[in-house]
Amino acid sequence: MGTDIRGPGACEHAYDRARLRQFLAGEAAGEGLSRRGVLRLLGAAAGLAAAGTGTGAGVAAAAGRPGIVKPLPAELFTVRDTNAETNWQALRGTGYHTPVDRFFVRNHTSTPVLDPARWRLTVWGGGLRGRAVEFSYDDLRSLPAVTSSAVLECAGNGRSYFATQQGDRVSGTPWTMGAVGAARWRGVRLADVLRAAGLSRRAVDVMPRGLDPRYTAGGTDYGRVRRPMPVAKALDDVLLAYEMNGLPLLPDHGRPVRLVVPSWVGIASVKWVGDIEVSDRPLFSPWNTVFYRLFGSAHPRGGSAPLTCQPVRSAFELAPGAEFAAGRRHRLTGRSWSGGGGVRRVEVSADDGASWREARLHDAPRPGGWVRWSVPWQPHEPGPARLMARATDTAGTVQPFRSVPNDQGFFFDAVVRHPVRVVRDP
Ligand code: MTE
């Protein structure tokens, strides 16, 4: 399953809080991003939320196409604007790693098709000892290669359940639970590239930026997709990946090179990376100020700290409305995962939570990974039923019955009520 290259303290909560304080104190810097500029963008994002649109619609979607290169057959994917959600029933029997033909795609705009031979990565900024340094694809391939299994997941995964399960009004792509996948990534450590570029002791933040088109929404141009992370995380377990499940990355997943930031919100794993700013000052972008924070009445005024580690979640490898014959013994399968550590326990209920049965785990708990599980089920009465799966991670966090709502619908972590039908045995 590859090396686990993750170190301690991966969630960087102290970093989150420090950046929030700095941001509120007006220390925002980076690509012309003044505090006033950010506040203007926050206003624009609030407008998007009110209009019920949000983080989705990009250039290609406006033309009625998702802007994704790989085939998106209806049995594997549900297309949502510029994005493609994996259908969970398509993961049944697929093994630990998600095959690339069914791995979800989350694009702010559209997939650029880049030629590895002409691609360059520029590492630059005041956190380096010297000038900007350029790497070619071959330069990266000549550095020591590392292989690591990691779950990649969108912070907005499960967003639609805020509305359908809780009656909350949120904006953004209405994912069910299929904006997640696990892959075996191969590439070089970001740490090795930063050191080769002359990382100095002054460096505090590292901001990769994608080569996809600029993201505009609601008349606001947010620029190229980019999001800073602290140097500590960048030097810990982050990869610059060029392979996924043993093959060169597909264009939709970041070809030729993308970041993989284990356990963190998917937006940190910038695809089609073209440059990385290494800064001696805190960096901010719309993706850690306007988006990917929690806003709303249940959160601090001005919003939460930028989101880092993903919450605990579970899903059945079943279509919504799947049918089961009454009186027979079935085997329910699913997966659970958490950015806060491995998953150590999964319970399943078929009677609205009145009783729970322990699922059998088929994988050891591992930070940055998921566990496959199964449980037998013998329904008796024909009619509608709701299945529930509840995971506990190694930090002791248990999935709640209700998620705390937020305007942009991030971090839905509640137990999902999965609708099925029990039918008469023919
Ligand atoms: N990087 C760039 N350059 N552009 C993007 O739109 N989307 C981010 C991240 N990296 C994005 C990006 C988000 S929100 C997620 S969840 C992951 O990529 C999705 O990766 P995937 O499409 O390979 O599944």
Side-chain angles (χ1 to χ4, degrees):
M1 215 156 277
T3 337
D4 186 0
I5 59 166
R6 185 186 155 106
C11 288
E12 300 291 347
H13 291 308
Y15 162 86
D16 298 346
R17 287 191 295 271
R19 283 293 170 277
L20 182 64
R21 273 198 307 275
Q22 286 160 331
F23 168 62
L24 295 174
E27 291 175 33
E31 223 192 62
L33 202 63
S34 65
R35 180 162 186 261
R36 195 194 289 165
V38 170
L39 292 177
R40 191 175 49 74
L41 293 180
L42 274 171
L48 282 179
T53 57
T55 53
V59 184
R65 291 173 290 110
I68 293 172
V69 174
K70 71 181 179 184
L72 302 173
E75 66 275 19
L76 301 184
F77 291 107
T78 302
V79 173
R80 304 192 187 281
D81 289 335
T82 53
N83 315 294
E85 172 167 1
T86 304
N87 294 337
W88 263 92
Q89 64 272 30
L91 294 188
R92 196 175 165 99
T94 53
Y96 187 89
H97 295 116
T98 312
V100 287
D101 71 347
R102 60 203 69 190
F103 203 102
F104 83 101
V105 181
R106 163 69 178 117
N107 282 352
H108 280 72
T109 59
S110 55
T111 295
V113 180
L114 305 173
D115 176 2
R118 295 176 55 192
W119 172 86
R120 295 289 181 275
L121 171 67
T122 308
V123 183
W124 60 281
L128 294 184
R129 287 198 302 275
R131 288 207 219 150
V133 180
E134 220 177 67
F135 296 85
S136 69
Y137 189 66
D138 288 344
D139 291 336
L140 286 196
R141 302 276 329 201
S142 69
L143 291 171
V146 177
T147 303
S148 174
S149 271
V151 166
L152 180 70
E153 186 186 25
C154 190
N157 198 18
R159 178 182 283 123
S160 67
Y161 299 118
F162 275 113
T164 58
Q165 239 177 240
Q166 305 190 167
D168 301 320
R169 193 171 143 75
V170 299
S171 66
T173 307
W175 303 106
T176 55
M177 209 37 94
V180 62
R184 192 154 43 81
W185 308 98
R186 185 175 164 81
V188 296
R189 288 171 185 268
L190 177 57
D192 289 347
V193 171
L194 294 178
R195 289 197 179 108
L199 184 70
S200 88
R201 280 168 195 274
R202 294 188 312 276
V204 294
D205 274 2
V206 169
M207 180 149 72
R209 184 164 51 165
L211 291 167
D212 41 338
R214 302 171 72 84
Y215 176 59
T216 56
T220 303
D221 181 352
Y222 295 95
R224 296 256 199 82
V225 173
R226 60 197 187 283
R227 192 183 202 251
M229 73 180 97
V231 156
K233 179 68 176 172
L235 295 180
D236 181 13
D237 56 356
V238 179
L239 286 189
L240 280 166
Y242 41 70
E243 275 183 19
M244 186 176 177
N245 296 344
L247 291 171
L249 287 179
L250 289 186
D252 297 312
H253 297 295
R255 182 177 163 86
V257 176
R258 74 171 306 161
L259 271 92
V260 175
V261 183
S263 306
W264 277 34
V265 286
I267 184 63
S269 294
V270 169
K271 303 193 274 190
W272 315 293
V273 58
D275 72 282
I276 300 177
E277 178 177 1
V278 184
S279 173
D280 54 2
R281 292 175 307 155
L283 292 177
F284 297 87
S285 89
W287 285 270
N288 74 334
T289 53
V290 181
F291 309 122
Y292 301 99
R293 292 170 63 214
L294 305 177
F295 297 100
S297 54
H299 301 284
R301 265 185 70 204
S304 73
L307 301 178
T308 55
C309 279
Q310 289 281 102
V312 196
R313 288 171 172 147
S314 300
F316 287 93
E317 295 170 341
L318 286 176
E323 295 194 348
F324 293 86
R328 294 223 181 167
R329 193 176 149 96
H330 303 275
R331 184 171 174 267
L332 301 173
T333 62
R335 301 177 194 232
S336 301
W337 59 97
S338 165
V343 166
R344 64 169 164 83
R345 182 178 194 205
V346 179
E347 302 150 284
V348 171
S349 173
D351 54 10
D352 283 329
S355 65
W356 293 87
R357 172 178 276 206
E358 194 97 5
R360 187 171 150 235
L361 305 188
H362 300 277
D363 299 292
R366 203 180 58 79
W370 58 13
V371 295
R372 291 167 289 171
W373 46 260
S374 64
V375 71
W377 183 45
Q378 186 163 1
H380 297 291
E381 293 303 315
R386 298 192 305 175
L387 300 176
M388 302 199 257
R390 176 173 71 180
T392 305
D393 72 12
T394 49
T397 307
V398 188
Q399 285 186 259
F401 284 103
R402 190 182 156 77
S403 252
V404 180
N406 61 93
D407 297 348
Q408 297 178 2
F410 293 120
F411 278 20
F412 185 89
D413 59 351
V415 172
V416 171
R417 282 69 163 168
H418 188 112
V420 295
R421 281 200 73 73
V422 180
V423 295
R424 250 172 242 297
D425 200 0

Short mmCIF file of all heavy atoms in Angstrom, two decimals, residues 103-109 152-155 175 179 185 209-212 224-226 244 252-254 258-259 265-273 287 292, ligand 1:
data_model
loop_
_atom_site.label_atom_id
_atom_site.label_comp_id
_atom_site.label_asym_id
_atom_site.label_seq_id
_atom_site.Cartn_x
_atom_site.Cartn_y
_atom_site.Cartn_z
N PHE A 103 -12.81 7.69 -10.72
CA PHE A 103 -12.36 8.64 -9.68
C PHE A 103 -13.03 9.99 -9.93
O PHE A 103 -13.02 10.50 -11.05
CB PHE A 103 -10.84 8.77 -9.74
CG PHE A 103 -10.22 9.23 -8.45
CD1 PHE A 103 -9.59 8.32 -7.61
CD2 PHE A 103 -10.26 10.57 -8.09
CE1 PHE A 103 -9.01 8.73 -6.41
CE2 PHE A 103 -9.68 11.00 -6.90
CZ PHE A 103 -9.05 10.07 -6.06
N PHE A 104 -13.60 10.59 -8.90
CA PHE A 104 -14.34 11.87 -9.07
C PHE A 104 -13.43 12.96 -9.62
O PHE A 104 -12.20 12.90 -9.45
CB PHE A 104 -14.96 12.30 -7.73
CG PHE A 104 -14.02 13.05 -6.80
CD1 PHE A 104 -14.07 14.43 -6.69
CD2 PHE A 104 -13.09 12.37 -6.03
CE1 PHE A 104 -13.22 15.14 -5.84
CE2 PHE A 104 -12.23 13.05 -5.17
CZ PHE A 104 -12.29 14.43 -5.07
N VAL A 105 -14.04 13.95 -10.28
CA VAL A 105 -13.29 15.11 -10.79
C VAL A 105 -13.95 16.36 -10.23
O VAL A 105 -15.17 16.55 -10.34
CB VAL A 105 -13.31 15.18 -12.33
CG1 VAL A 105 -12.50 16.39 -12.81
CG2 VAL A 105 -12.75 13.90 -12.93
N ARG A 106 -13.13 17.21 -9.64
CA ARG A 106 -13.61 18.51 -9.16
C ARG A 106 -12.78 19.60 -9.84
O ARG A 106 -11.59 19.75 -9.54
CB ARG A 106 -13.46 18.58 -7.63
CG ARG A 106 -13.53 19.99 -7.05
CD ARG A 106 -14.92 20.58 -7.15
NE ARG A 106 -15.00 21.90 -6.55
CZ ARG A 106 -15.30 23.01 -7.23
NH1 ARG A 106 -15.52 23.00 -8.53
NH2 ARG A 106 -15.39 24.18 -6.59
N ASN A 107 -13.39 20.27 -10.80
CA ASN A 107 -12.73 21.34 -11.53
C ASN A 107 -13.45 22.66 -11.28
O ASN A 107 -14.66 22.74 -11.46
CB ASN A 107 -12.81 21.09 -13.05
CG ASN A 107 -11.79 20.07 -13.52
OD1 ASN A 107 -10.92 19.65 -12.76
ND2 ASN A 107 -11.90 19.67 -14.77
N HIS A 108 -12.71 23.69 -10.93
CA HIS A 108 -13.33 25.01 -10.84
C HIS A 108 -13.71 25.52 -12.22
O HIS A 108 -14.70 26.23 -12.37
CB HIS A 108 -12.37 26.00 -10.19
CG HIS A 108 -12.35 25.89 -8.69
ND1 HIS A 108 -11.77 24.83 -8.04
CD2 HIS A 108 -12.87 26.70 -7.73
CE1 HIS A 108 -11.92 25.00 -6.72
NE2 HIS A 108 -12.59 26.12 -6.52
N THR A 109 -12.92 25.19 -13.23
CA THR A 109 -13.24 25.63 -14.60
C THR A 109 -13.23 24.42 -15.52
O THR A 109 -14.21 23.73 -15.64
CB THR A 109 -12.27 26.73 -15.08
OG1 THR A 109 -10.94 26.22 -15.05
CG2 THR A 109 -12.38 27.98 -14.22
N LEU A 152 -8.38 11.31 -1.31
CA LEU A 152 -8.54 12.70 -1.76
C LEU A 152 -10.03 12.98 -1.71
O LEU A 152 -10.82 12.20 -2.25
CB LEU A 152 -8.00 12.81 -3.19
CG LEU A 152 -8.07 14.17 -3.84
CD1 LEU A 152 -7.09 15.12 -3.19
CD2 LEU A 152 -7.74 14.06 -5.32
N GLU A 153 -10.41 14.07 -1.07
CA GLU A 153 -11.84 14.33 -0.90
C GLU A 153 -12.12 15.82 -0.91
O GLU A 153 -11.38 16.62 -0.34
CB GLU A 153 -12.32 13.75 0.44
CG GLU A 153 -13.81 13.86 0.61
CD GLU A 153 -14.29 13.44 1.98
OE1 GLU A 153 -13.50 13.50 2.95
OE2 GLU A 153 -15.47 13.06 2.09
N CYS A 154 -13.23 16.18 -1.52
CA CYS A 154 -13.66 17.57 -1.54
C CYS A 154 -14.28 17.94 -0.19
O CYS A 154 -15.04 17.16 0.37
CB CYS A 154 -14.68 17.76 -2.66
SG CYS A 154 -15.05 19.47 -2.95
N ALA A 155 -13.93 19.14 0.31
CA ALA A 155 -14.49 19.59 1.60
C ALA A 155 -16.01 19.69 1.53
O ALA A 155 -16.69 19.60 2.54
CB ALA A 155 -13.91 20.95 1.96
N TRP A 175 -23.12 17.83 -4.09
CA TRP A 175 -22.61 16.45 -4.04
C TRP A 175 -23.47 15.59 -3.13
O TRP A 175 -23.94 16.07 -2.10
CB TRP A 175 -21.20 16.41 -3.43
CG TRP A 175 -20.12 17.23 -4.03
CD1 TRP A 175 -19.58 18.38 -3.51
CD2 TRP A 175 -19.37 16.95 -5.23
NE1 TRP A 175 -18.55 18.82 -4.33
CE2 TRP A 175 -18.40 17.97 -5.38
CE3 TRP A 175 -19.43 15.94 -6.19
CZ2 TRP A 175 -17.50 18.02 -6.44
CZ3 TRP A 175 -18.54 15.99 -7.25
CH2 TRP A 175 -17.60 17.00 -7.37
N ALA A 179 -17.72 12.62 -3.79
CA ALA A 179 -16.57 13.47 -4.13
C ALA A 179 -15.36 13.01 -3.32
O ALA A 179 -14.72 13.79 -2.60
CB ALA A 179 -16.89 14.93 -3.88
N TRP A 185 -0.48 7.15 -5.00
CA TRP A 185 0.18 8.27 -5.67
C TRP A 185 1.68 8.04 -5.69
O TRP A 185 2.25 7.58 -4.72
CB TRP A 185 -0.11 9.57 -4.92
CG TRP A 185 -1.57 9.83 -4.66
CD1 TRP A 185 -2.25 9.56 -3.51
CD2 TRP A 185 -2.52 10.38 -5.57
NE1 TRP A 185 -3.58 9.93 -3.64
CE2 TRP A 185 -3.77 10.43 -4.89
CE3 TRP A 185 -2.46 10.85 -6.89
CZ2 TRP A 185 -4.93 10.92 -5.47
CZ3 TRP A 185 -3.62 11.35 -7.46
CH2 TRP A 185 -4.83 11.37 -6.78
N ARG A 209 0.10 27.02 -7.31
CA ARG A 209 -0.93 27.63 -8.16
C ARG A 209 -1.10 26.80 -9.42
O ARG A 209 -0.11 26.33 -10.01
CB ARG A 209 -0.49 29.05 -8.51
CG ARG A 209 -1.52 29.83 -9.31
CD ARG A 209 -1.22 31.30 -9.29
NE ARG A 209 0.16 31.59 -9.67
CZ ARG A 209 0.60 32.79 -10.00
NH1 ARG A 209 -0.22 33.82 -9.99
NH2 ARG A 209 1.86 32.98 -10.32
N GLY A 210 -2.35 26.60 -9.83
CA GLY A 210 -2.65 25.75 -10.98
C GLY A 210 -2.56 26.49 -12.31
O GLY A 210 -2.61 27.72 -12.36
N LEU A 211 -2.45 25.71 -13.38
CA LEU A 211 -2.36 26.28 -14.73
C LEU A 211 -3.71 26.23 -15.45
O LEU A 211 -3.78 26.49 -16.65
CB LEU A 211 -1.31 25.51 -15.55
CG LEU A 211 0.13 25.72 -15.11
CD1 LEU A 211 1.06 24.69 -15.76
CD2 LEU A 211 0.60 27.13 -15.44
N ASP A 212 -4.78 25.88 -14.75
CA ASP A 212 -6.11 25.88 -15.37
C ASP A 212 -6.60 27.33 -15.51
O ASP A 212 -6.01 28.24 -14.92
CB ASP A 212 -7.09 25.00 -14.57
CG ASP A 212 -6.97 25.13 -13.05
OD1 ASP A 212 -5.90 25.55 -12.58
OD2 ASP A 212 -7.94 24.81 -12.36
N ARG A 224 -6.19 32.51 -10.65
CA ARG A 224 -5.88 31.08 -10.76
C ARG A 224 -6.07 30.38 -9.42
O ARG A 224 -5.80 30.97 -8.37
CB ARG A 224 -4.43 30.91 -11.18
CG ARG A 224 -4.13 31.48 -12.53
CD ARG A 224 -4.01 30.34 -13.54
NE ARG A 224 -3.29 30.84 -14.70
CZ ARG A 224 -1.98 30.91 -14.76
NH1 ARG A 224 -1.23 30.47 -13.77
NH2 ARG A 224 -1.40 31.39 -15.83
N VAL A 225 -6.46 29.11 -9.50
CA VAL A 225 -6.67 28.34 -8.26
C VAL A 225 -5.35 28.24 -7.50
O VAL A 225 -4.33 27.80 -8.05
CB VAL A 225 -7.22 26.94 -8.59
CG1 VAL A 225 -7.27 26.08 -7.32
CG2 VAL A 225 -8.60 27.04 -9.23
N ARG A 226 -5.35 28.65 -6.24
CA ARG A 226 -4.13 28.65 -5.43
C ARG A 226 -4.53 28.69 -3.97
O ARG A 226 -5.53 29.30 -3.60
CB ARG A 226 -3.24 29.85 -5.79
CG ARG A 226 -3.93 31.17 -5.54
CD ARG A 226 -3.26 32.34 -6.26
NE ARG A 226 -3.85 33.61 -5.87
CZ ARG A 226 -5.01 34.07 -6.30
NH1 ARG A 226 -5.75 33.38 -7.15
NH2 ARG A 226 -5.47 35.24 -5.87
N MET A 244 -0.71 8.01 -10.72
CA MET A 244 -1.88 7.66 -9.91
C MET A 244 -2.19 6.20 -10.22
O MET A 244 -2.38 5.86 -11.40
CB MET A 244 -3.02 8.58 -10.36
CG MET A 244 -4.28 8.51 -9.58
SD MET A 244 -5.39 9.78 -10.26
CE MET A 244 -6.83 9.48 -9.29
N ASP A 252 -7.39 15.05 -16.34
CA ASP A 252 -8.38 15.55 -15.38
C ASP A 252 -7.88 15.53 -13.95
O ASP A 252 -8.44 16.22 -13.09
CB ASP A 252 -9.65 14.69 -15.45
CG ASP A 252 -10.31 14.78 -16.80
OD1 ASP A 252 -10.48 15.91 -17.30
OD2 ASP A 252 -10.64 13.71 -17.37
N HIS A 253 -6.87 14.72 -13.66
CA HIS A 253 -6.39 14.62 -12.28
C HIS A 253 -5.07 15.36 -12.08
O HIS A 253 -4.40 15.17 -11.06
CB HIS A 253 -6.30 13.15 -11.86
CG HIS A 253 -7.66 12.50 -11.88
ND1 HIS A 253 -8.67 12.88 -11.02
CD2 HIS A 253 -8.19 11.57 -12.71
CE1 HIS A 253 -9.76 12.19 -11.30
NE2 HIS A 253 -9.50 11.38 -12.31
N GLY A 254 -4.69 16.21 -13.07
CA GLY A 254 -3.57 17.12 -12.83
C GLY A 254 -2.35 16.93 -13.70
O GLY A 254 -1.31 17.51 -13.41
N ARG A 258 0.65 17.21 -9.93
CA ARG A 258 -0.26 17.84 -8.99
C ARG A 258 0.25 17.67 -7.56
O ARG A 258 1.11 16.82 -7.31
CB ARG A 258 -1.64 17.19 -9.04
CG ARG A 258 -1.63 15.81 -8.36
CD ARG A 258 -3.00 15.22 -8.19
NE ARG A 258 -3.93 16.10 -7.51
CZ ARG A 258 -5.25 15.94 -7.57
NH1 ARG A 258 -5.78 14.97 -8.29
NH2 ARG A 258 -6.04 16.75 -6.93
N LEU A 259 -0.31 18.45 -6.64
CA LEU A 259 -0.02 18.20 -5.23
C LEU A 259 -0.96 17.14 -4.68
O LEU A 259 -2.11 17.06 -5.13
CB LEU A 259 -0.18 19.48 -4.42
CG LEU A 259 1.12 20.28 -4.38
CD1 LEU A 259 1.12 21.27 -5.51
CD2 LEU A 259 1.32 20.95 -3.04
N VAL A 265 -8.39 19.07 3.19
CA VAL A 265 -9.43 19.39 2.20
C VAL A 265 -8.84 19.30 0.78
O VAL A 265 -7.70 19.72 0.55
CB VAL A 265 -9.98 20.81 2.45
CG1 VAL A 265 -10.87 20.81 3.68
CG2 VAL A 265 -8.87 21.84 2.63
N GLY A 266 -9.63 18.73 -0.14
CA GLY A 266 -9.14 18.46 -1.50
C GLY A 266 -8.57 19.68 -2.20
O GLY A 266 -7.67 19.57 -3.03
N ILE A 267 -9.06 20.89 -1.86
CA ILE A 267 -8.59 22.10 -2.54
C ILE A 267 -7.09 22.32 -2.32
O ILE A 267 -6.43 22.97 -3.12
CB ILE A 267 -9.40 23.34 -2.09
CG1 ILE A 267 -8.99 24.59 -2.86
CG2 ILE A 267 -9.28 23.57 -0.58
CD1 ILE A 267 -9.24 24.54 -4.34
N ALA A 268 -6.54 21.75 -1.24
CA ALA A 268 -5.10 21.91 -0.99
C ALA A 268 -4.27 21.16 -2.04
O ALA A 268 -3.14 21.54 -2.34
CB ALA A 268 -4.76 21.40 0.41
N SER A 269 -4.87 20.11 -2.62
CA SER A 269 -4.14 19.26 -3.57
C SER A 269 -4.22 19.86 -4.97
O SER A 269 -4.92 19.35 -5.85
CB SER A 269 -4.71 17.84 -3.55
OG SER A 269 -4.46 17.24 -2.30
N VAL A 270 -3.55 20.98 -5.15
CA VAL A 270 -3.65 21.76 -6.40
C VAL A 270 -3.18 20.92 -7.60
O VAL A 270 -2.11 20.32 -7.56
CB VAL A 270 -2.85 23.07 -6.26
CG1 VAL A 270 -2.70 23.78 -7.60
CG2 VAL A 270 -3.52 23.99 -5.24
N LYS A 271 -4.03 20.90 -8.64
CA LYS A 271 -3.72 20.15 -9.87
C LYS A 271 -2.98 21.06 -10.85
O LYS A 271 -3.03 22.27 -10.74
CB LYS A 271 -5.02 19.66 -10.51
CG LYS A 271 -5.88 18.80 -9.59
CD LYS A 271 -6.99 18.08 -10.34
CE LYS A 271 -8.24 18.91 -10.51
NZ LYS A 271 -9.39 18.10 -11.03
N TRP A 272 -2.33 20.46 -11.84
CA TRP A 272 -1.66 21.19 -12.92
C TRP A 272 -0.78 22.31 -12.34
O TRP A 272 -0.79 23.44 -12.83
CB TRP A 272 -2.68 21.80 -13.89
CG TRP A 272 -3.78 20.85 -14.26
CD1 TRP A 272 -3.65 19.72 -15.01
CD2 TRP A 272 -5.18 20.93 -13.90
NE1 TRP A 272 -4.87 19.10 -15.14
CE2 TRP A 272 -5.81 19.82 -14.47
CE3 TRP A 272 -5.93 21.85 -13.16
CZ2 TRP A 272 -7.17 19.59 -14.31
CZ3 TRP A 272 -7.27 21.61 -13.00
CH2 TRP A 272 -7.89 20.50 -13.58
N VAL A 273 -0.02 21.97 -11.31
CA VAL A 273 0.74 23.03 -10.64
C VAL A 273 1.78 23.62 -11.59
O VAL A 273 2.49 22.89 -12.29
CB VAL A 273 1.37 22.48 -9.33
CG1 VAL A 273 2.28 21.30 -9.57
CG2 VAL A 273 2.13 23.57 -8.59
N TRP A 287 -9.02 31.09 -1.66
CA TRP A 287 -9.32 29.72 -1.27
C TRP A 287 -8.99 29.41 0.19
O TRP A 287 -9.22 28.31 0.64
CB TRP A 287 -8.61 28.76 -2.23
CG TRP A 287 -9.34 28.72 -3.55
CD1 TRP A 287 -10.34 27.88 -3.89
CD2 TRP A 287 -9.15 29.59 -4.67
NE1 TRP A 287 -10.80 28.17 -5.15
CE2 TRP A 287 -10.08 29.21 -5.67
CE3 TRP A 287 -8.30 30.67 -4.95
CZ2 TRP A 287 -10.18 29.84 -6.91
CZ3 TRP A 287 -8.40 31.31 -6.17
CH2 TRP A 287 -9.33 30.90 -7.14
N TYR A 292 -13.74 27.80 1.58
CA TYR A 292 -13.09 26.81 2.45
C TYR A 292 -12.85 27.34 3.86
O TYR A 292 -11.83 27.10 4.49
CB TYR A 292 -11.82 26.24 1.80
CG TYR A 292 -12.18 25.58 0.49
CD1 TYR A 292 -12.00 26.25 -0.72
CD2 TYR A 292 -12.76 24.32 0.47
CE1 TYR A 292 -12.39 25.68 -1.92
CE2 TYR A 292 -13.16 23.75 -0.73
CZ TYR A 292 -12.97 24.43 -1.91
OH TYR A 292 -13.37 23.87 -3.09
N1 MTE B 1 -6.47 22.39 -8.65
C1 MTE B 1 -6.71 23.24 -9.66
N2 MTE B 1 -5.67 23.79 -10.30
N3 MTE B 1 -7.97 23.54 -10.05
C2 MTE B 1 -9.07 23.01 -9.41
O1 MTE B 1 -10.21 23.29 -9.80
N4 MTE B 1 -9.84 21.59 -7.56
C3 MTE B 1 -9.47 21.18 -6.20
C4 MTE B 1 -8.22 20.31 -6.21
N5 MTE B 1 -7.20 20.92 -7.02
C5 MTE B 1 -8.84 22.14 -8.32
C6 MTE B 1 -7.49 21.81 -8.00
C7 MTE B 1 -10.49 20.46 -5.50
S1 MTE B 1 -11.71 21.42 -4.80
C8 MTE B 1 -10.45 19.10 -5.31
S2 MTE B 1 -11.59 18.32 -4.32
C9 MTE B 1 -9.43 18.27 -5.94
O2 MTE B 1 -8.55 19.04 -6.74
C10 MTE B 1 -10.08 17.23 -6.83
O3 MTE B 1 -9.14 16.43 -7.46
P1 MTE B 1 -9.57 15.44 -8.63
O4 MTE B 1 -10.36 16.22 -9.63
O5 MTE B 1 -8.33 14.84 -9.17
O6 MTE B 1 -10.46 14.38 -7.99
#
